[in-house]
Amino acid sequence: MTSTSTETPTVTPHEVELTIGGMTCASCAARVEKKLNRMDGVFATVNYATEKAKIAYPDGVGVDDLIATVVKTGYTAEEPPPPAVTEAPAVDRDTDPEPAGLRQRLVVSVLLAAPVALMSMIPALQFDNWRWLALTLASPVVVWGGLPFHRAAFTNARHGAATMDTLVSVGTLAAYGWSLWALFWGDAGKPAMPGMPGMEGMGVRESFSFTAARTGGTSEIYLEVAAGVIAFILLGRYLEARAKRRSGAALRALMELGAKDVSVLRGGREVRIPVGELAIGDRFVVRPGEKIATDGSVVEGVSAVDASMLTGESVPVDVGAGDAVTGATVNAGGRLVVEATRIGTDTQLARMARLVEDAQNGKAEVQRLADRISGIFVPVVLLIAAGTFGVWLGVTGDTVAAFTAAVAVLIIACPCALGLATPTALMVGTGRGAQLGILIKGPEVLESTRRVDTIVLDKTGTVTTGRMTLQEVYVTEGTDEKQVLRLAGALEHASEHPVARAVAAGAAERVGALPEAEAFENVPGRGVRGRVDGHEVVVGRLVDGLSGPLPEELAHAKAEAESSGRTAVVVAWDGVARGVLTVADAVKETSAEAVRELRALGLTPVLLTGDNRAVAQAVAKAVGIEQVIAEVLPEEKVEVVRRLQGEGRTVAMVGDGVNDAAALATADLGLAMGTGTDAAIEASDLTLVRGDLRVAADAIRLSRKTLATIKGNLVWAFGYNVAALPLAAAGLLNPMIAGAAMAFSSVFVVTNSLRLRTFR
């Protein structure tokens, strides 16, 4: 498993997650993170996309101290409410207050800015004193529409900081201030003088530009820039906010899956209560079509359960008394009575939501680089803008050109795309994974999936079902196969041995109801005996008291089964051997296909097991694995992984048992089957909610696709700024076009991330 950051403090007994308010770009997040990490013993990561800070802090530091630090930095912070996954209310994107308020500000700004831009750019729409109308329309846009930018810029300035809001505020206010000066004290408020030499054939806009050149530039106004840039950036913010909410939709949907109330059995009666009042040990009723309220064990009833919303598996699973069921899954068949075994934050649904949210709040190393750049980006841009103005003015003496280039530099530079590149892709990728039954623990996992070239597969419970099942039935000539199964199944039904349970279950499945056995006796190391339907029946590996040797056909079948790693038991009654039953841990139907998919991803599969070599070789041959490591003790599995790593391989490990936990933690990438133990799941990097090995291939594909999207986003974000800043400084970009391009860069990054929602 990938190592954790060396920046983590050695003593961090406490952890808290804070919701951060007021952040408008990645440089804001970088600034909050920097301030928190300056506190003694504190290690914090702040995620701009999720607007959350994950903080580890030592004794002597309180949550109030952390919140106070954030507030002093110019932002708000609060602890989120306690998680209540099963009771989470539905959230409607369209009625969320922040996008709604942003939408109102956007609509008003666009309606007012559009005529200003049209009048400024189309001479046919210009008339005497049109500039004063433009000022009247643009002023509410600059003052009210741009208020969030100005307020944030002022707050940051008070704390000696500069963010993307600073660039927008300074740029638009500079354009607006210049326009006011030109209108009230310059020549812009005066009509052009007809007949001025050189003006023949000019349109209105051209004539004012000409006049500006003749009068030192005081007739040129930038109201369309001031209003247009704010309108474009508000549009970008609105689209970005909606897209960010869509990127987190999968997690919200996951948290909203749970039932809201439940019918509990109290005193022999059904009582409807809120699911939050359910206690461990309570028995509750689940009718057809209802959601199972919480994790539990079926006490009564037989049904099929649809778990597709949690596992991605479309086929319902049959359950009966003694079977475990998961909260938020749907009862698709008959009435069930379930005893609650886990409630609240301990349920599988809550754990899934917690894993996904932790992953979304984490940061990949590549994102930390982007954050460091964002933290110094805005001050650098301010210096570039000032330098651009000075160079243009010194070289050309053209105040208008110098001002235009400087404003374009301020407007075009946007660190938002850098800040959104990783978290939005991670939010969408992990959310989509949760829908498919794949839980990615953290962003660092993505890098591991790219490098992996060898995948070690535990046998039992991973490649195989992990349960002994009845395989073949061999009988002597003239013996009825159903009678062999009926008598053997009835006798084995009284035993608790795994082989006996497999025989009894297989016999019941093939012949129906089994008779009762009498005078049952267990003979250690040999088998069982008893009376069934008046016959003295013996079932076991070694059978005594036969009237003769084992018939040749049965002896051959028994030897062949044992040589291939299966368990063979002889069935005899009335002193005569009548049949041989073989029992084995069955290979999952999908394992062979999964191995082919893993090979297609460039991975070399290795089968690792504690079973004997004959069993391991038989399983490996069935699924298409060439390299087998068998007869390995649990503690030796770690050494096997280390040996493979020592050979220069990057190793992924798939397992499900307690004995796999150490190997999962040692591997470069650990994948735990969600049907396995808690220890294995905690030790892994990826959890596969359903016990289908094909999901391992899906998980690696999704992780690699998410990583590729992150890299594509970062290439775009870096490339955009690298290309745009020189163009703006060279005077090749109109400030209003720069504002539109800046807004588009953030929207592009988020929209590109949203393509992960279509991953299949």
Side-chain angles (χ1 to χ4, degrees):
M1 186 164 21
T2 51
S3 60
T4 56
S5 171
T6 56
E7 298 175 29
T8 305
T10 54
V11 181
T12 54
H14 311 291
E15 284 193 355
V16 69
E17 183 178 272
L18 299 179
T19 300
I20 308 297
M23 295 192 299
T24 56
C25 66
S27 57
C28 296
R31 189 159 161 265
V32 174
E33 186 173 293
K34 184 177 180 181
K35 290 286 186 180
L36 286 170
N37 284 326
R38 283 181 177 173
M39 300 175 69
D40 289 340
V42 172
F43 178 74
T45 58
V46 181
N47 192 312
Y48 166 54
T50 61
E51 299 179 340
K52 289 182 180 178
K54 190 172 183 180
I55 309 170
Y57 61 98
D59 291 327
V61 176
V63 175
D64 290 342
D65 299 323
L66 301 172
I67 292 175
T69 298
V70 176
V71 171
K72 287 177 184 176
T73 311
Y75 305 89
T76 63
E78 62 180 2
E79 286 189 83
V85 174
T86 55
E87 299 178 278
V91 181
D92 188 337
R93 284 192 293 270
D94 297 325
T95 58
D96 188 53
E98 185 173 340
L102 189 56
R103 180 168 59 238
Q104 182 185 33
R105 197 177 294 270
L106 167 64
V107 170
V108 173
S109 297
V110 168
L111 289 176
L112 295 177
V116 176
L118 292 173
M119 285 189 293
S120 301
M121 295 180 172
I122 303 175
L125 298 179
Q126 295 169 358
F127 50 88
D128 287 345
N129 298 318
W130 68 271
R131 285 175 172 78
W132 296 102
L133 176 60
L135 176 65
T136 303
L137 296 174
S139 294
V141 178
V142 175
V143 177
W144 177 76
L147 184 61
F149 308 114
H150 308 321
R151 184 191 295 126
F154 176 73
T155 301
N156 287 317
R158 284 175 50 210
H159 292 87
T163 66
M164 173 250 182
D165 293 298
T166 306
L167 302 180
V168 175
S169 181
V170 170
T172 55
L173 288 178
Y176 184 70
W178 175 285
S179 301
L180 289 178
W181 172 267
L183 281 167
F184 285 98
W185 294 282
D187 298 323
K190 305 171 186 177
M193 291 177 288
M196 183 180 288
M199 292 182 60
E200 296 82 1
M202 288 187 181
V204 178
R205 182 77 174 174
E206 290 86 346
S207 69
F208 273 95
S209 297
F210 179 83
T211 305
R214 293 285 298 272
T215 59
T218 58
S219 69
E220 183 69 37
I221 64 172
Y222 287 96
L223 291 173
E224 80 278 11
V225 171
V229 164
I230 285 176
F232 275 125
I233 296 176
L234 285 174
L235 175 62
R237 283 272 178 96
Y238 177 70
L239 295 175
E240 178 188 310
R242 286 181 62 87
K244 280 167 63 178
R245 287 189 58 74
R246 288 172 64 197
S247 68
L251 176 58
R252 288 195 304 277
L254 185 66
M255 296 179 72
E256 293 163 15
L257 281 177
K260 303 301 182 287
D261 48 31
V262 58
S263 293
V264 181
L265 293 175
R266 298 271 170 87
R269 295 188 307 109
E270 289 186 30
V271 180
R272 201 77 180 173
I273 63 170
V275 74
E277 297 178 11
L278 197 62
I280 293 176
D282 280 348
R283 294 190 175 188
F284 58 92
V285 177
V286 189
R287 293 180 175 79
E290 287 186 337
K291 289 181 180 179
I292 297 173
T294 192
D295 297 357
S297 178
V298 177
V299 176
E300 179 185 318
V302 175
S303 183
V305 172
D306 178 5
S308 57
M309 68 288 295
L310 287 183
T311 67
E313 176 59 65
S314 58
V315 180
V317 178
D318 292 331
V319 296
D323 289 332
V325 290
T326 305
T329 55
V330 178
N331 178 15
R335 179 181 183 272
L336 294 175
V337 176
V338 179
E339 181 174 314
T341 56
R342 289 179 176 176
I343 59 173
T345 57
D346 294 329
T347 63
Q348 183 173 338
L349 175 62
R351 291 170 62 200
M352 286 177 63
R354 194 160 55 245
L355 283 172
V356 174
E357 191 166 18
D358 286 347
Q360 293 182 351
N361 288 334
K363 286 189 180 181
E365 193 57 39
V366 68
Q367 178 63 25
R368 296 186 186 279
L369 171 62
D371 286 350
R372 285 194 290 271
I373 292 172
S374 297
I376 63 172
F377 190 76
V378 174
V380 169
V381 169
L382 290 171
L383 291 175
I384 292 174
T388 298
F389 183 84
V391 170
W392 269 91
L393 192 60
V395 172
T396 67
D398 188 339
T399 308
V400 174
F403 181 78
T404 302
V407 171
V409 167
L410 289 172
I411 299 301
I412 195 68
C414 175
C416 286
L418 285 174
L420 293 168
T422 295
T424 53
L426 193 60
M427 287 171 72
V428 181
T430 53
R432 181 60 182 148
Q435 292 175 330
L436 298 174
I438 302 164
L439 302 182
I440 302 172
K441 273 199 175 177
E444 66 279 355
V445 173
L446 305 178
E447 280 289 341
S448 301
T449 61
R450 181 180 61 84
R451 299 192 305 266
V452 164
D453 54 32
T454 301
I455 185 161
V456 176
L457 306 175
D458 173 56
K459 180 184 76 69
T460 306
T462 302
V463 177
T464 65
T465 62
R467 300 186 307 275
M468 301 292 280
T469 58
L470 179 63
Q471 303 286 305
E472 296 94 356
V473 179
Y474 301 95
V475 297
T476 55
E477 187 175 352
T479 302
D480 182 13
E481 180 178 312
K482 287 187 176 181
Q483 188 178 13
V484 171
L485 288 171
R486 177 181 169 83
L487 298 180
L491 191 60
E492 294 281 47
H493 184 68
S495 173
E496 291 299 319
H497 193 279
V499 172
R501 288 202 298 268
V503 170
E509 184 179 333
R510 299 186 192 191
V511 302
L514 301 174
E516 291 289 330
E518 301 173 351
F520 174 82
E521 181 184 357
N522 181 27
V523 183
R526 305 187 77 81
V528 293
R529 61 171 56 131
R531 187 178 304 106
V532 181
D533 287 348
H535 298 286
E536 295 294 331
V537 182
V538 180
V539 181
R541 298 183 187 182
L542 300 172
V543 178
D544 297 326
L546 296 178
S547 58
L550 199 63
E552 184 177 345
E553 64 267 37
L554 296 185
H556 176 73
K558 183 172 182 291
E560 185 177 315
E562 290 173 344
S563 66
S564 64
R566 289 169 292 169
T567 298
V569 294
V570 177
V571 182
W573 63 84
D574 299 334
V576 178
R578 319 279 183 157
V580 167
L581 309 179
T582 66
V583 175
D585 180 6
V587 174
K588 294 178 181 177
E589 294 180 0
T590 58
S591 291
E593 181 183 348
V595 170
R596 288 194 296 271
E597 291 182 6
L598 292 169
R599 287 188 184 279
L601 290 170
L603 306 180
T604 301
V606 177
L607 187 67
L608 180 64
T609 180
D611 273 354
N612 67 67
R613 182 162 296 277
V615 173
Q617 291 286 4
V619 171
K621 183 178 180 181
V623 299
I625 296 177
E626 297 174 1
Q627 188 172 349
V628 178
I629 303 174
E631 301 175 1
V632 176
L633 296 174
E635 58 270 22
E636 293 174 337
K637 289 186 177 183
V638 174
E639 296 305 317
V640 169
V641 171
R642 287 179 177 159
R643 187 175 75 241
L644 292 171
Q645 291 170 328
E647 295 172 2
R649 305 196 202 185
T650 303
V651 180
M653 167 83 184
V654 186
D656 73 327
V658 173
N659 60 355
D660 299 322
L664 287 168
T666 304
D668 299 284
L669 178 69
L671 297 91
M673 308 295 277
T675 51
T677 64
D678 289 348
I681 292 171
E682 288 299 320
S684 68
D685 300 300
L686 285 162
T687 299
L688 316 177
V689 177
R690 70 179 191 263
D692 186 339
L693 189 57
R694 290 177 301 180
V695 183
D698 290 338
I700 292 173
R701 265 196 297 268
L702 175 60
S703 298
R704 289 180 176 178
K705 181 71 173 175
T706 304
L707 180 63
T709 301
I710 289 172
K711 290 185 173 180
N713 285 347
L714 287 170
V715 167
W716 164 261
F718 277 115
Y720 162 83
N721 283 291
V722 168
L725 275 174
L727 289 175
L732 300 176
L733 278 179
N734 178 285
M736 193 161 64
I737 302 233
M742 188 202 74
F744 172 75
S745 68
S746 295
V747 174
F748 173 85
V749 164
V750 179
T751 305
N752 186 49
S753 298
L754 287 173
R755 293 190 304 121
L756 288 168
R757 296 174 73 187
T758 63
F759 176 84
R760 295 288 182 270

